[in-house]
């Protein structure tokens, strides 16, 4: 593709830093003024202002560049939806410098595998968070019982 490149980077919390992702995008040839960011937005939410701006900035023949697929989407349906909409518009998708070609069976399979792993990672994180909260709740409940003289 010989069109323009637009980059997209995202981090889930305001405490995280986007510098490494921006550096990757710059290294992949994305101009700084064509890098769109979302800070404090989870990839499981489709409504993200920076993503909307990045998608609006690309036209047929352009390339959307993302450091890794999990920065773009954290579920298979969302990744497929974004990927399919780019294909329909004639926009290429570069994941960390690797061009995704939806017309190539291997490219399509690779994209789907990456999307599956991104979704798996977020599911694991949710499970660990629930487990950690259950342990913390149990410890707090035990501590409350001990401090009341019942422990």
């Amino acid at each position: 593709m010989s069109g323009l490149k637009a980059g997209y980077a995202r981090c889930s919390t305001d405490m995280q830093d986007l510098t490494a992702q921006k550096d990757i995008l710059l290294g992949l040839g994305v101009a700084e003024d064509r890098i769109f960011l979302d800070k404090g937005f989870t990839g499981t939410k489709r409504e993200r202002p920076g993503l909307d701006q990045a998608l609006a900035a690309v036209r047929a023949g352009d390339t959307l560049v993302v450091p890794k697929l999990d920065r773009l989407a954290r579920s298979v349906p969302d990744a497929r939806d974004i990927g399919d909409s780019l294909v329909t518009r004639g926009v290429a998708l570069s994941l960390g410098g690797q061009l995704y070609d939806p017309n190539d069976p291997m490219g399509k399979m690779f994209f789907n595998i990456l999307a599956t792993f991104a979704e798996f990672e977020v599911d694991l994180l949710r499970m660990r968070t629930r487990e950690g909260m259950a342990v913390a709740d149990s410890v707090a409940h035990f501590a409350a019982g001990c401090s009341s003289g019942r422990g």
Side-chain angles (χ1 to χ4, degrees):
M1 296 253 160
S2 59
L4 297 173
K5 292 180 180 180
Y8 176 70
R10 177 194 61 78
C11 62
S12 299
T13 71
D14 289 326
M15 302 296 285
Q16 294 171 315
D17 185 38
L18 289 164
T19 303
Q21 291 182 60
K22 286 173 60 176
D23 288 347
I24 290 169
L25 294 172
L26 291 168
L28 293 171
V30 180
E32 189 156 5
D33 65 338
R34 302 239 335 137
I35 295 176
F36 302 90
L37 308 171
D38 277 320
K39 189 168 186 169
F41 287 87
T42 177
T44 59
K45 302 285 187 226
R46 182 61 172 84
E47 295 78 31
R48 291 175 265 150
L51 177 59
D52 293 342
Q53 292 170 342
L55 294 173
V58 290
R59 305 278 182 259
D62 290 349
T63 303
L64 178 64
V65 183
V66 184
K68 296 187 320 182
L69 181 61
D70 70 348
R71 302 297 84 204
L72 184 64
R74 297 286 275 188
S75 75
V76 174
D78 198 27
R80 288 291 340 142
D81 182 53
I82 294 169
D84 290 345
S85 73
L86 292 172
V87 169
T88 301
R89 296 173 47 208
V91 175
L93 176 61
S94 171
L95 304 171
Q98 186 71 30
L99 205 57
Y100 158 67
D101 181 1
N103 298 314
D104 174 62
M106 291 300 284
K108 189 173 186 176
M109 181 188 71
F110 181 67
F111 181 81
N112 285 322
I113 289 170
L114 289 177
T116 300
F117 276 110
E119 185 172 300
F120 176 66
E121 285 176 340
V122 79
D123 288 344
L124 281 178
L125 180 61
R126 284 185 186 132
M127 182 184 72
R128 289 180 188 136
T129 300
R130 282 192 304 269
E131 290 171 350
M133 290 173 69
V135 168
D137 187 47
S138 175
V139 168
H141 182 69
F142 177 77
C146 286
S147 66
S148 67
R150 296 182 296 161

